[in-house]
Amino acid sequence: MAERVIGVTGGIGSGKSSVMRAFQAKGIEAVDADDMARVVVEPGQPALNAIAEHFGPDILTPEGTLNRPALRTIIFSDPDAKTWLEALLHPLINQELRLRLAAAQGPYALLVSPLLFETGQDRLVDRILVVDVPESVQLARASARDGADPEQIRRIMASQMSREERLRRADDVLDNSGHLADLERQVGELHGKYSV
């Protein structure tokens, strides 16, 4: 097991994946909560069957996989649907995270999660790094990356912890509003700090 776990969080479009890749380039293992969220709803998993029973068979693609855009549309327009889905998935995701983190090696490992605080995953980490950008940058990046309607991105942002609260709870902050070289420089400094 890694000596410590660093929680990496930030709002949608903040660049958590880019930060994760920069740490991985330094040999650091990372466990991504978004990846675990996909694992627990793979075909054959009980969670996928429960989702199809709850929302109806149209929530599945013709291949039998989860239709993520359709589910996203539902849960960000219906608070009760979102609450139901979170109650189903968050314990399963947290269980997967614990298993993967227990297997991680090195001076530290990363737990990368957009909902680190909201899901209680902050209890699995020793230190918290917030990847921060202005909200206007979040909106522009997430809309361009996902091809999503800016209004849907705003709803997702509103469902996440506020930028101010994330920053208040951070042990470290990485300003990701600049160029890739700026990101890599900051990751290098943090890597030195976390490796001690």
Side-chain angles (χ1 to χ4, degrees):
M1 185 169 177
E3 294 176 30
R4 67 184 67 84
V5 177
I6 309 299
V8 179
T9 193
I12 186 171
S14 62
K16 295 176 296 297
S17 296
S18 297
V19 170
M20 178 178 71
R21 286 189 296 273
F23 277 105
Q24 287 173 316
K26 296 187 177 302
I28 298 303
E29 292 186 50
V31 180
D32 188 336
D34 285 346
D35 288 346
M36 297 307 99
R38 284 186 275 280
V39 166
V40 301
V41 295
E42 287 176 349
Q45 293 294 324
L48 183 62
N49 297 335
I51 291 168
E53 284 178 21
H54 187 81
F55 293 108
D58 291 344
I59 205 68
L60 301 177
T61 67
E63 296 78 30
T65 61
L66 183 62
N67 184 335
R68 292 181 173 283
L71 184 61
R72 184 184 295 165
T73 299
I74 293 169
I75 64 169
F76 287 109
S77 60
D78 179 350
D80 291 338
K82 184 173 184 282
T83 300
W84 180 88
L85 186 68
E86 288 173 347
L88 172 70
L89 295 183
H90 287 174
L92 299 172
I93 293 166
N94 287 348
Q95 181 180 355
E96 284 291 326
L97 291 172
R98 282 187 192 91
L99 289 171
R100 309 275 173 126
L101 288 169
Q105 301 295 312
Y108 66 96
L110 303 181
L111 166 52
V112 182
S113 175
L115 301 175
L116 188 77
F117 298 115
E118 296 89 332
T119 58
Q121 293 165 358
D122 58 318
R123 293 190 297 270
L124 304 176
V125 306
D126 302 297
R127 192 167 184 86
I128 294 167
L129 169 61
V130 169
V131 181
D132 183 57
V133 295
E135 290 179 354
S136 59
V137 174
Q138 280 184 263
L139 183 61
R141 284 184 183 169
S143 297
R145 178 193 70 202
D146 298 343
D149 172 40
E151 192 50 47
Q152 185 177 44
I153 299 298
R154 284 189 187 91
R155 283 196 296 274
I156 293 170
M157 289 170 62
S159 75
Q160 295 179 336
M161 179 176 283
S162 73
R163 179 184 182 204
E164 293 74 21
E165 181 64 11
R166 268 194 306 273
L167 291 171
R168 189 185 69 73
R169 296 175 70 172
D171 295 304
D172 303 297
V173 176
L174 188 152
D175 176 357
N176 195 22
S177 55
H179 297 288
L180 183 59
D182 297 326
L183 181 155
E184 290 173 346
R185 176 189 52 78
Q186 292 177 79
V187 165
E189 291 171 0
L190 290 165
H191 176 63
K193 177 179 179 177
Y194 297 156
S195 297
V196 175

